[in-house]
C-alpha cells in the first residue's frame, strides 16, 4: 500500500464505549434530581460530551485531516445559526405585537368535543380570551 | 484505463491512486454527514421552538414515554457503535472472521433497537398517543395539558426519521457482511466499511441527543 491508515488501538475503543455507557447512566440518574432549569443544561452538557467522544474517536476525526473536522463543525455552526435566528422570531413576537405573544393554539380534532382551555388549562371562550381575564374585567 | 498492471483491482479508473480514491470517499462521506446534521437540524429547531412555547406540556407529555426502553435502546446503540468500530479494527488487523462476527453483532443490535422501538410505537398506536389530529389519548396524566399532540408529532417525526436511518444502516451492514464474507473487502481495501461505520456512528450520535430530549425531561 502506498499509504498506511492509522489503526486506533483496541483499548481506546473499549475505554470510549465504557465511558459512553457510564455517561448514559449518569444522565438518567441526574434527570431524577430536580435542579430546575439546570436539568436541561446538564443533560445537554453530558450529551455533548458523549457526542464529542463519538466524533473524535469512533468517527476518527481526531486523527483525520482537519478539513473533515472543519466540515463537521461547520454543520453545527449552521445549525446554531438556524436555531438562533428562528428563536429571535418565535421568542420575541410579543415584543413587537403584544397580541401575538400568546402561543399559536392549533388543536387536534379530538379537542373539538371538549371545552377550550389555554396553555395553563384555564377555560377560554370561542373568541380566545380566557374566563379568567373576563372575571378581572368585571371587577 | 491509465493505470498499469500493478494497480490494485479495487482502484477505479477515474482515480489517480489508492490514496486519492480513499480521501475522495472520505470527503464525500463527511459532506453527506453535513447534510444529515442539517436534515435533523430542522427537526431539532421545531423541538426547541415548541418546547419554549409549551414547557409544561413537554414535561407532562414526557411522562408517557418509557425511560427504561429509552435507556435500553441507548445501551444497544452504543454497543452497536462499538461493534461497528471493532469490525473495522479487525479487518485492519487482517482478522476477517472477527470482522464478520462484529458486523453480524452490529446487525443484530440494530435489529434489537428497531424491535424495542416497535414495542414503544405499537403501545402508542394502541392508546392513541399519536401525532397531530390522530392524537386521541385522554389519560389522567394528560387531561389538563394542552397540545400533547404537538409533543407526539415531534416525537414521531424525530424518532421516526432516526428509525429510518437505523433501518437503512441495517441494510448497509447486511451488504457489508456479504462483501466481507465474499472477500471483496479486506485489509488493503475496506473503505465502504469505514464509510458505513461513519454513518452508523452518526445514527448513534443523533440518538445521544434524542434520548435526553424526549425521555429525560424535567
Amino acid at each position: 500500500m502506498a499509504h498506511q491508515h492509522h489503526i486506533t488501538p483496541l483499548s481506546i475503543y473499549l475505554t470510549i464505549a465504557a465511558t459512553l455507557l457510564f455517561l448514559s447512566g449518569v444522565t438518567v440518574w441526574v434527570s431524577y434530581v430536580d435542579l430546575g432549569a439546570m436539568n436541561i443544561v446538564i443533560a445537554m452538557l453530558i450529551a455533548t460530551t458523549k457526542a464529542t467522544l463519538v466524533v473524535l474517536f469512533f468517527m476518527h476525526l481526531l486523527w483525520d485531516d482537519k478539513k473533515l473536522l472543519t466540515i463537521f463543525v461547520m454543520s453545527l455552526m449552521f445549525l446554531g445559526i438556524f436555531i438562533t435566528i428562528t428563536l429571535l422570531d418565535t421568542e420575541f413576537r410579543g415584543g413587537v405585537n403584544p397580541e401575538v405573544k400568546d402561543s399559536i393554539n392549533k388543536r387536534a380534532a379530538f379537542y373539538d368535543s371538549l371545552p377550550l382551555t389555554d396553555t395553563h388549562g384555564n377555560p377560554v371562550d370561542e373568541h380566545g380570551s380566557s374566563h379568567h381575564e373576563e372575571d378581572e374585567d368585571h371587577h | 484505463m491509465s493505470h498499469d498492471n500493478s494497480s490494485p483491482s479495487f482502484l477505479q479508473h477515474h482515480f489517480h491512486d489508492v490514496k486519492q480514491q480513499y480521501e475522495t470517499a472520505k470527503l464525500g462521506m463527511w459532506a453527506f454527514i453535513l447534510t444529515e446534521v442539517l436534515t435533523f437540524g430542522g427537526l431539532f429547531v421545531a423541538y426547541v421552538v415548541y418546547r419554549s412555547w409549551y414547557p409544561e406540556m413537554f414535561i407532562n407529555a414526557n411522562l408517557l414515554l418509557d425511560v427504561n426502553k429509552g435507556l435500553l435502546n441507548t445501551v444497544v446503540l452504543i454497543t452497536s457503535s462499538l461493534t461497528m468500530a471493532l469490525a473495522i479494527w479487525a479487518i485492519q488487523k487482517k482478522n476477517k472472521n472477527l470482522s464478520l462476527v462484529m458486523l453480524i453483532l452490529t446487525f443484530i443490535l440494530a435489529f434489537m433497537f428497531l424491535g424495542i422501538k416497535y414495542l414503544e410505537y405499537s403501545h402508542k398506536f394502541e392508546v392513541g398517543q399519536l401525532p397531530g389530529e390522530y392524537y386521541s389519548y385522554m389519560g389522567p396524566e394528560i387531561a389538563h395539558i394542552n397540545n400533547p399532540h404537538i409533543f407526539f408529532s415531534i416525537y414521531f417525526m424525530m424518532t421516526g426519521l432516526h428509525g429510518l436511518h437505523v433501518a437503512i444502516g441495517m441494510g448497509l451492514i447486511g451488504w457489508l457482511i456479504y462483501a466481507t464474507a465474499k472477500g471483496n473487502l479486506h485489509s488493503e481495501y475496506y473503505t465502504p466499511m469505514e464509510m458505513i461505520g461513519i454513518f452508523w456512528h452518526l445514527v448513534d450520535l443523533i440518538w445521544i441527543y434524542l434520548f435526553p430530549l424526549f425521555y429525560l425531561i424535567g
Side-chain angles (χ1 to χ4, degrees):
Chain A
M1 286 281 282
H3 68 296
Q4 282 298 316
H5 290 177
H6 170 266
I7 298 179
T8 313
L10 182 61
S11 59
I12 286 188
Y13 283 136
L14 296 176
T15 310
I16 296 300
T19 312
L20 290 173
L21 291 172
F22 172 73
L23 287 175
S24 304
V26 170
T27 191
V28 172
W29 174 73
V30 155
S31 75
Y32 288 106
V33 183
D34 186 12
L35 301 167
M38 283 307 287
N39 273 110
I40 180 71
V41 177
I42 290 172
M44 287 300 98
L45 278 178
I46 293 174
T48 303
T49 308
K50 288 166 71 182
T52 308
L53 292 175
V54 169
V55 168
L56 289 182
F57 295 95
F58 280 172
M59 293 167 109
H60 210 259
L61 279 188
L62 183 63
W63 299 283
D64 278 334
D65 192 313
K66 289 296 173 275
K67 68 173 181 269
L68 302 176
L69 183 62
T70 311
I71 289 174
F72 182 68
V73 171
M74 274 175 63
S75 76
L76 299 180
M77 280 170 54
F78 278 101
L79 179 57
I81 292 169
F82 193 178
I83 291 175
T84 308
I85 291 181
T86 309
L87 285 181
L88 280 176
D89 169 16
T90 60
E91 287 300 288
F92 298 102
R93 282 180 184 181
V96 186
N97 305 97
E99 65 271 20
V100 296
K101 194 173 183 179
D102 291 331
S103 306
I104 298 166
N105 220 345
K106 301 272 186 205
R107 324 192 70 174
F110 81 99
Y111 277 118
D112 292 347
S113 58
L114 298 169
L116 290 173
T117 56
D118 65 16
T119 48
H120 302 290
N122 300 315
V124 290
D125 67 19
E126 286 172 4
H127 303 292
S129 60
S130 71
H131 291 304
H132 186 64
E133 285 169 11
E134 280 179 4
D135 290 344
E136 283 174 352
D137 291 341
H138 291 308
H139 288 305
Chain B
M1 291 279 287
S2 60
H3 301 134
D4 56 37
N5 292 332
S6 67
S7 63
S9 59
F10 53 79
L11 178 60
Q12 292 175 333
H13 69 87
H14 48 276
F15 290 112
H16 186 68
D17 55 25
V18 171
K19 186 169 185 284
Q20 188 208 11
Q21 176 171 278
Y22 172 76
E23 289 184 349
T24 306
K26 208 147 194 185
L27 181 64
M29 192 64 207
W30 278 100
F32 171 67
I33 297 293
L34 180 144
T35 67
E36 285 282 83
V37 170
L38 295 180
T39 304
F40 277 94
L43 292 169
F44 277 105
V45 170
Y47 178 96
V48 170
V49 168
Y50 278 99
R51 185 162 174 184
S52 73
W53 276 343
Y54 306 106
E56 292 164 30
M57 180 272 283
F58 266 73
I59 289 170
N60 284 282
N62 145 267
L63 299 174
L64 300 174
L65 299 181
D66 186 344
V67 179
N68 292 331
K69 287 204 181 75
L71 179 62
L72 185 58
N73 259 350
T74 305
V75 172
V76 165
L77 216 49
I78 288 173
T79 311
S80 80
S81 238
L82 174 67
T83 55
M84 185 74 225
L86 292 184
I88 297 165
W89 177 80
I91 205 150
Q92 285 172 331
K93 295 278 185 185
K94 301 184 173 58
N95 192 337
K96 178 182 164 182
N97 287 336
L98 181 61
S99 185
L100 273 174
V101 168
M102 287 300 160
L103 285 174
I104 291 165
L105 275 177
T106 312
F107 188 87
I108 292 169
L109 288 165
F111 187 78
M112 272 178 68
F113 180 92
L114 288 180
I116 294 163
K117 210 77 220 147
Y118 170 78
L119 293 178
E120 285 192 85
Y121 276 4
S122 56
H123 173 257
K124 285 180 176 51
F125 272 78
E126 228 166 77
V127 297
Q129 293 161 356
L130 292 172
E133 63 180 270
Y134 302 104
Y135 183 92
S136 62
Y137 180 73
M138 288 299 289
E141 315 93 317
I142 213 78
H144 302 294
I145 302 302
N146 228 13
N147 299 317
H149 59 296
I150 290 179
F151 178 85
F152 285 99
S153 298
I154 297 171
Y155 167 81
F156 272 100
M157 279 306 293
M158 294 188 85
T159 59
L161 184 63
H162 179 264
L164 180 66
H165 278 76
V166 175
I168 291 169
M170 262 182 82
L172 293 171
I173 292 163
W175 174 77
L176 280 181
I177 294 170
Y178 166 79
T180 308
K182 214 179 157 204
N184 292 348
L185 302 181
H186 43 78
S187 64
E188 295 286 293
Y189 177 69
Y190 53 86
T191 308
M193 196 188 289
E194 205 178 331
M195 299 307 128
I196 292 167
I198 291 172
F199 175 78
W200 193 249
H201 297 313
L202 175 84
V203 171
D204 185 22
L205 191 74
I206 289 162
W207 183 258
I208 283 174
Y209 282 96
L210 293 185
F211 174 55
L213 285 178
F214 284 110
Y215 293 83
L216 303 177
I217 303 173

